[in-house]
Amino acid sequence: MAIGISALLLIAVYFLPVWSIQLWAPQYPEGIEMLIWLNRLSGDVEIINGLNHYIGMKHISEDMFPELALLPYGMVLLIVFGLFVAWRGTKFWLNAWTLLLVLSAVGLLIDMYQWGYDYGHNLDPKAAIQVPNMAYQPPLLGYKLLLNFGAYSIPDTGGWIFAAVIGTAVIFWAKETIIKRKQHA
Amino acid sequence: MIALVAVMGVGLGLTGCKPKSPINGESTSAASGSAAEEVYVAPGEKDDYYLFTSGGFSGQLGVYGLPSGRMLRQIPIFSQHAENGWGYSEESKPMLMTSYGFIPWDDSHHPKLSQTEGKQDGRWLFINGNNTPRIARIDLKTFRTVEIIEIPNSSGNHSSPFPTENTEYVVAGTRFAVPMGDNRDVAINTYKENFKGMISYISVDKESGHMDVAFQILLPGFDYDLSHAGKGPSHGWSFFTTYNTEESHTMKEVNASQRDKDFLTAINWKLAEQLVAEGKFEEYGGRPYYVNRWDEATHSAVSTQKTGTKVLDASKYPGLVYFLPCPKSPHGVDVNPTGEFIVASGKLAATLPVFQFSKIQEAIANNDFDGDVNGIPILKYESVIAGEVAKPGLGPLHTEFDDKGFAYTSMFVSSEIVKWNVATREVVDRIPTYYSIGHLCVPAGDSKNPTGKYVIALNKITKDRYLPTGPELTQSAQLIDISGDKMRMLLDFPTIGEPHYAQACPASLLTENQVRIYPIEENNHPYAAKGEKETSVERKGNEVHIKMTTIRSHFAPDNIEGIKVGDKVYWHITNLEQDWDIPHGFAVQGAANSELLVMPGETATLLWEPKEAGVVSFYCSDFCSALHQEMQGYVRVSPANSNVPLTWSLNQTAE
């Protein structure tokens, strides 16, 4: 039952931002923000691009992320699979569901890290401002100071829902696996 | 010898007795102990009120924060402003068009915030041009002048703009009577026969704010000095102080100061509306007048020339206009928050009359007249006043009101503000001002819901108040606390130009609606380049149109060749930025007009006429970014007969 509900909850992720990157600088006390959705970007992307071109960072656009075209379909698969697991209700499928969710999350984080690494390191050699040995990789999670900018990266509402769904699956998996094993012992 | 010592001793003694400025009180600073704390707005904190002061002979409007007195902006209105290209850019030039041609200056006197139901609504600010009769409207979302209308059949537009309770109309009156109609070339000494006054009602569209001359009221050739509209019970009426009822035309300082009482002119504009609707007006042709409107979508102004107004001759329509006798040469007229009491300040009078609207209505109903002027009834003074404020001070000019039933009247000659009780007409307090106060302003003190914290004195003379700056000195504003029984001087600060009247409102009325950028996709300027791909250079005969963009930190294009001596080059600069507070400037060497300051998403155009061959540089004149100094470009000018092709580029270097 809970698995079914949590699978359906994933529908909300289509309508909510998944990840949020916030930046502050002396001239931007109010902060600027980029939101990552399943299929698009929003927020002050152009302002970020305008500021980052001085140090030769790439121009962020949706074309840069083939993931944005795939993620909506991936999410459909997860939802359908989750409902299937709820319907079958066997331990095997629960294990599979939990594993799939965890792997998806880890996969996405690795993907994001790799993008961030490339974005922060692969700079235009003709950039106006070049600081020796400086890379601008944004933090995967948490806060990091990059020259005059403070960058903060954290899941947004959609991301937290996804995390909660994973959490639910893990708790069920743990309950089924560990607790039952103890009972048998 | 003894006698000599004695005389010297007496002499020294007398010198020691010489009083020290006995007029201005004990301390010329006169600020109370806690004043510094009360006006201190810490760095990063914001003021509680906006203050708008007229620029007087500067033709502009000053914007300040209160209580700090910090200047926030100068809004260009009637005068060209090279700082941002106002009146120099092709888009803004039409704003200064009049029937006399391009008039790039004026004398701006009375800022007035728009009101709805007698309360500040935070939409627009109106201000009059005194010299070439005009009224301007400033949009308080952008703090820009968005409309200027010329007033036909007028001269010395001083009793203006003074909007009605719902900003149905702003008004314009003649401080200088002039010959009207077609025959204006007359001998000056035929004044009494040929010179007339005219009060114009300018309608303001509720939605767009667009102004239009609705109707005009023809009056005797007196000087119509200042005005205020009625509110509440007196809504539907306007009051104009009226001097030179002697109808003199020379040496007015003497000849216009002979009569003990002049007039307060009361106009029933609701009746005027009705008469016009019934078609009872005369059509005046005569000189054309201009309506200049700014269009935010095209970032450009359009001038429209109009002719003809609807004129009502006051002497022909009973009930339209009444004259109220008013002690000597009245200047300001102010209506209290309830709309029942009308204070007119006779600048040469010993008393301050307080008229009562219900009594005026009663006197009209009872035909309580004391003669007439050309058929316009004069009401009996005793029948229409609630009473007089006795010996208020010398040279009363203007009155504003607070939320506790008190009035504050400025005294030019005795250089002070006098606080008095509207109900009892008793003076309760007075405070010196430094020096020679003209207008004064209580935030919302001209509305139905005045505040009660401050009054601002607007002074003409500053002499020894600041560090000296040669013969030409600043004028000033002073912030005075009125929250207690005694008025307390808090702050003294310089102003731009001459601050005549001022308006102030709570900051929150305007801050919510501030525009930060112009969305680039909504830019409908015919020469906008909404991206670098849309930039171009096009020749049409000897006109060259450059569609150029700016973004941190380059122009596109930044190399242009093929311009010829004798060309008229139009630089159409579109600022592609969509971030708050990132304007770009544009300055080109040899520009005979000005630079441009282009806001995010806006397009502005500078006309440049190169006079000799060579390479000329242009650059961004607003420090925009870390690479601002690199934001520059070159334009090559060749002789008129040259064959250099028209080319433009960005980031192209020779092989």
Side-chain angles (χ1 to χ4, degrees):
Chain A
M1 180 66 181
I3 298 293
I5 290 171
S6 65
L8 287 174
L9 258 182
L10 288 177
I11 294 172
V13 180
Y14 281 92
F15 308 101
L16 293 165
V18 177
W19 209 272
S20 152
I21 294 174
Q22 291 170 51
L23 301 165
W24 295 268
Q27 300 81 359
Y28 290 90
E30 75 279 18
I32 41 184
E33 181 179 61
M34 178 170 91
L35 297 178
I36 304 169
W37 303 63
L38 269 193
N39 60 344
R40 65 188 176 97
L41 304 174
S42 72
D44 309 307
V45 181
E46 280 315 308
I47 292 176
I48 293 170
N49 284 332
L51 296 167
N52 286 350
H53 90 278
Y54 295 114
I55 48 174
M57 294 177 93
K58 283 182 185 147
H59 194 96
I60 298 178
S61 69
E62 287 168 4
D63 313 341
M64 194 176 182
F65 299 96
E67 294 90 337
L68 295 179
L70 299 174
L71 283 175
Y73 300 105
M75 195 55 76
V76 171
L77 286 180
L78 280 183
I79 293 166
V80 171
F81 189 67
L83 291 174
F84 173 78
V85 171
W87 173 58
R88 294 302 299 262
T90 69
K91 198 178 159 196
F92 172 79
W93 287 113
L94 176 65
N95 287 346
W97 162 248
T98 310
L99 189 66
L100 181 66
L101 282 177
V102 171
L103 286 180
S104 312
V106 170
L108 283 172
L109 287 173
I110 291 173
D111 183 57
M112 217 170 107
Y113 178 86
Q114 279 180 334
W115 170 80
Y117 185 90
D118 178 67
Y119 183 60
H121 287 81
N122 197 355
L123 306 173
D124 184 345
K126 290 183 81 178
I129 300 173
Q130 306 209 10
V131 183
N133 303 319
M134 182 72 196
Y136 305 96
Q137 182 176 0
L140 183 63
L141 193 66
Y143 181 83
K144 193 172 166 189
L145 187 68
L146 301 162
L147 288 188
N148 60 329
F149 270 92
Y152 182 59
S153 172
I154 192 162
D156 210 318
T157 324
W160 288 121
I161 289 174
F162 193 50
V165 169
I166 297 172
T168 311
V170 170
I171 287 166
F172 268 82
W173 172 82
K175 199 172 118 190
E176 289 296 314
T177 313
I178 300 165
I179 297 171
K180 292 218 169 139
R181 189 176 298 157
K182 275 186 185 163
Q183 283 169 353
H184 285 286
Chain B
M1 185 62 196
I2 292 169
L4 182 63
V5 170
V7 170
M8 279 178 66
V10 171
L12 283 172
L14 286 175
T15 312
C17 290
K18 181 185 160 194
K20 261 188 180 174
S21 186
I23 294 292
N24 286 321
E26 286 169 14
S27 154
T28 47
S29 159
S32 60
S34 59
E37 273 170 49
E38 291 173 63
V39 302
Y40 184 65
V41 177
E45 300 287 308
K46 293 180 188 74
D47 281 292
D48 299 330
Y49 295 88
Y50 281 102
L51 171 71
F52 299 93
T53 65
S54 74
F57 38 69
S58 91
Q60 320 292 48
L61 183 76
V63 186
Y64 301 80
L66 294 179
S68 73
R70 296 182 296 192
M71 187 176 187
L72 306 172
R73 267 198 71 62
Q74 178 177 177
I75 302 176
I77 303 172
F78 297 113
S79 298
Q80 281 177 308
H81 197 60
E83 173 180 321
N84 64 1
W86 179 256
Y88 292 103
S89 73
E90 294 307 297
E91 290 79 4
S92 62
K93 276 181 189 172
M95 291 300 286
L96 303 182
M97 277 307 294
T98 75
S99 61
Y100 301 93
F102 181 73
I103 304 286
W105 70 279
D106 214 313
D107 177 18
S108 62
H109 276 243
H110 309 123
K112 269 293 188 185
L113 292 165
S114 58
Q115 296 192 354
T116 301
E117 290 173 1
K119 293 169 189 168
Q120 297 177 332
D121 60 23
R123 301 207 287 169
W124 306 302
L125 183 142
F126 298 89
I127 189 166
N128 60 320
N130 198 42
N131 180 63
T132 303
R134 286 181 277 185
I135 295 176
R137 179 169 56 91
I138 288 98
D139 187 333
L140 294 174
K141 292 197 298 293
T142 57
F143 280 57
R144 278 193 170 179
T145 306
V146 291
E147 187 172 7
I148 296 181
I149 185 168
E150 185 183 1
I151 315 298
N153 307 316
S154 193
S155 181
N157 181 35
H158 193 262
S159 42
S160 178
F162 304 104
T164 53
E165 185 175 284
N166 297 299
T167 319
E168 293 97 338
Y169 299 97
V170 287
V171 298
T174 43
R175 183 155 66 106
F176 313 136
V178 282
M180 297 281 173
D182 294 330
N183 183 22
R184 289 177 294 116
D185 175 16
V186 299
I188 296 170
N189 65 13
T190 63
Y191 186 104
K192 286 190 184 179
E193 181 189 339
N194 286 322
F195 286 48
K196 297 287 176 199
M198 190 77 93
I199 304 288
S200 307
Y201 280 78
I202 314 301
S203 59
V204 179
D205 186 88
K206 258 188 163 45
E207 300 304 318
S208 65
H210 288 171
M211 296 185 281
D212 239 319
V213 182
F215 52 86
Q216 300 188 297
I217 297 171
L218 188 69
L219 289 162
F222 306 148
D223 290 18
Y224 299 90
D225 199 11
L226 277 154
S227 174
H228 260 103
K231 48 181 168 273
S234 53
H235 177 53
W237 290 73
S238 295
F239 306 95
F240 290 79
T241 46
T242 306
Y243 68 105
N244 189 26
T245 55
E246 296 87 350
E247 296 183 89
S248 73
H249 58 84
T250 182
M251 196 61 182
K252 284 198 185 185
E253 71 167 305
V254 174
N255 297 330
S257 306
Q258 294 305 303
R259 297 179 66 170
D260 247 7
K261 285 199 174 62
D262 291 282
F263 293 136
L264 182 66
T265 301
I267 298 180
N268 183 346
W269 60 260
K270 285 265 187 194
L271 177 61
E273 257 181 355
Q274 199 185 314
L275 291 169
V276 170
E278 289 165 9
K280 291 179 176 159
F281 55 83
E282 255 181 275
E283 192 78 49
Y284 266 44
R287 303 189 64 254
Y289 62 98
Y290 275 72
V291 183
N292 310 318
R293 288 178 185 152
W294 187 261
D295 179 350
E296 213 166 83
T298 58
H299 300 287
S300 308
V302 175
S303 275
T304 313
Q305 189 185 314
K306 299 192 173 187
T307 318
T309 57
K310 297 167 181 170
V311 177
L312 295 165
D313 183 341
S315 61
K316 289 187 187 160
Y317 301 102
L320 181 59
V321 176
Y322 295 93
F323 290 128
L324 286 62
C326 183
K328 203 155 180 179
S329 299
H331 190 57
V333 52
D334 300 278
V335 182
N336 86 318
T338 66
E340 174 69 355
F341 297 104
I342 301 136
V343 183
S345 305
K347 59 185 187 279
L348 307 178
T351 61
L352 197 61
V354 180
F355 297 92
Q356 191 167 353
F357 186 72
S358 54
K359 286 191 165 186
I360 296 171
Q361 294 306 299
E362 218 174 294
I364 291 171
N366 298 337
N367 288 330
D368 207 352
F369 301 149
D370 200 356
D372 69 285
V373 180
N374 301 344
I376 301 168
I378 303 170
L379 297 173
K380 263 207 188 94
Y381 181 65
E382 295 71 22
S383 309
V384 292
I385 60 161
E388 293 173 338
V389 182
K391 297 195 174 163
L394 300 175
L397 292 187
H398 302 281
T399 302
E400 293 256 305
F401 304 90
D402 72 6
D403 56 349
K404 300 174 205 79
F406 293 105
Y408 300 81
T409 301
S410 58
M411 300 288 163
F412 177 79
V413 177
S414 51
S415 191
E416 60 184 334
I417 291 177
V418 172
K419 176 182 178 180
W420 52 277
N421 184 313
V422 176
T424 64
R425 294 173 299 283
E426 277 169 348
V427 172
V428 296
D429 192 21
R430 50 181 74 231
I431 190 170
T433 58
Y434 305 88
Y435 305 96
S436 296
I437 181 174
H439 280 267
L440 76 178
C441 162
V442 172
D446 58 346
S447 77
K448 278 184 176 173
N449 57 342
T451 58
K453 200 162 180 198
Y454 304 116
V455 63
I456 298 103
L458 300 146
N459 303 318
K460 310 293 186 190
I461 294 174
T462 58
K463 285 192 120 161
D464 58 353
R465 298 296 294 181
Y466 303 103
L467 292 176
T469 56
E472 193 173 344
L473 301 174
T474 185
Q475 309 213 354
S476 83
Q478 291 187 295
L479 185 70
I480 295 160
D481 177 283
I482 56 168
S483 59
D485 288 340
K486 296 290 286 177
M487 290 183 276
R488 292 183 307 123
M489 181 67 72
L490 298 178
L491 183 71
D492 187 316
F493 57 96
T495 59
I496 58 151
E498 179 179 351
H500 290 269
Y501 198 15
Q503 292 271 277
C505 68
S508 57
L509 190 65
L510 307 184
T511 48
E512 293 299 303
N513 300 324
Q514 291 303 297
V515 167
R516 295 184 170 196
I517 60 157
Y518 299 105
I520 189 82
E521 62 275 10
E522 292 169 20
N523 182 329
N524 284 332
H525 191 291
Y527 287 98
K530 299 188 198 181
E532 291 186 3
K533 283 179 187 151
E534 296 182 17
T535 58
S536 66
V537 181
E538 200 184 335
R539 176 179 286 284
K540 294 175 182 168
N542 73 334
E543 272 186 20
V544 178
H545 291 271
I546 302 172
K547 283 165 74 173
M548 181 179 270
T549 60
T550 60
I551 194 155
R552 282 164 288 175
S553 304
H554 61 271
F555 293 99
D558 64 1
N559 282 191
I560 299 167
E561 301 199 2
I563 305 294
K564 296 175 192 172
V565 172
D567 280 349
K568 288 162 88 84
V569 181
Y570 291 89
W571 301 84
H572 305 285
I573 314 292
T574 301
N575 184 356
L576 296 178
E577 304 283 357
Q578 291 287 278
D579 196 1
W580 196 22
D581 201 13
I582 310 287
H584 286 291
F586 175 77
V588 57
Q589 192 172 342
N593 32 24
S594 78
E595 62 193 308
L596 294 175
L597 202 55
V598 192
M599 295 304 124
E602 187 189 18
T603 302
T605 303
L606 191 76
L607 170 61
W608 177 65
E609 297 174 84
K611 299 280 188 280
E612 56 184 280
V615 172
V616 173
S617 58
F618 57 87
Y619 70 101
C620 171
S621 54
D622 182 328
F623 206 111
C624 56
S625 68
L627 297 173
H628 160 77
Q629 292 298 80
E630 283 71 18
M631 192 162 172
Q632 49 175 279
Y634 291 108
V635 54
R636 177 180 170 190
V637 181
S638 304
N641 58 358
S642 86
N643 294 320
V644 178
L646 198 61
T647 56
W648 62 95
S649 64
L650 169 69
N651 207 12
Q652 272 177 27
T653 44
E655 294 304 314

